[in-house]
Amino acid sequence: MSGDGVVTINVGDVQEPPAYPVDFAFTVNENSRTWTPVGRSQAVSQDEDAGDEQEYLKLAEEVWTADGKWVATEKILGNDVFMIHALSAQVSVKRNLLDYESFKTFRMTIQAKDSNDFTCSAYVHISVNNVDEPPQFIAIPPA
């Protein structure tokens, strides 16, 4: 027996979570002012769902210490140093606490959340560039 027929297959859209293809690595000059953009691009995630909007959040920030450990930036410097824009994912300097001679590497854990509350996270590694600084006179008390 044989026959001809029509088979219809309907493919429905399934909501996928956002995804970061890789971790990010950016550089920033020491002594950078507040709002200075870090890196040349944003830490944007990818989401296959058409028109799906994402919100970005910093989960943690750490600094690499001289004894070879990641430690919360707030514990070492008293405050965090970087921020991420919730809509554009642009990483920027939050506080001018960048001193190459003290700390050369920071790491942020960021999260992307889409409109379906699906999330993904990634690291943003930030290296501080050394910048020539003008000499400074030191006041010496009179003898």
Side-chain angles (χ1 to χ4, degrees), residues 61-63 65 70-80 103:
E61 180 183 313
E62 301 166 304
V63 61
T65 61
W70 288 111
V71 178
T73 306
E74 205 168 289
K75 285 185 179 180
I76 302 292
L77 297 175
N79 281 302
D80 52 351
F103 299 103

Side-chain angles (χ1 to χ4, degrees), residues 3 11 13-14 18 20 25 39 43 48-50 56 58 61 64 69 71 76-77 81 97 99 104 111 117 131 138 142:
V11 178
D13 187 22
V14 175
Y20 284 110
E48 295 181 14
D49 301 318
Y56 299 93
K58 179 175 75 171
E61 180 183 313
W64 184 252
K69 296 179 185 175
V71 178
I76 302 292
L77 297 175
V81 178
L97 299 173
D99 179 25
K104 297 171 180 58
Q111 180 183 72
D117 288 334
V131 174
I138 300 172

Side-chain angles (χ1 to χ4, degrees), residues 66-139:
D67 56 349
K69 296 179 185 175
W70 288 111
V71 178
T73 306
E74 205 168 289
K75 285 185 179 180
I76 302 292
L77 297 175
N79 281 302
D80 52 351
V81 178
F82 301 100
M83 59 187 160
I84 186 167
H85 190 277
L87 301 177
S88 72
Q90 175 65 58
V91 175
S92 302
V93 174
K94 184 175 182 180
R95 290 185 180 83
N96 182 4
L97 299 173
L98 296 170
D99 179 25
Y100 177 85
E101 288 74 24
S102 299
F103 299 103
K104 297 171 180 58
T105 307
F106 292 82
R107 176 175 77 178
M108 289 175 36
T109 305
I110 59 170
Q111 180 183 72
K113 181 171 84 171
D114 69 12
S115 56
N116 294 298
D117 288 334
F118 291 134
T119 62
C120 69
S121 59
Y123 285 124
V124 176
H125 298 272
I126 302 169
S127 298
V128 179
N129 294 326
N130 193 16
V131 174
D132 271 342
E133 297 157 310
Q136 296 179 346
F137 287 101
I138 300 172

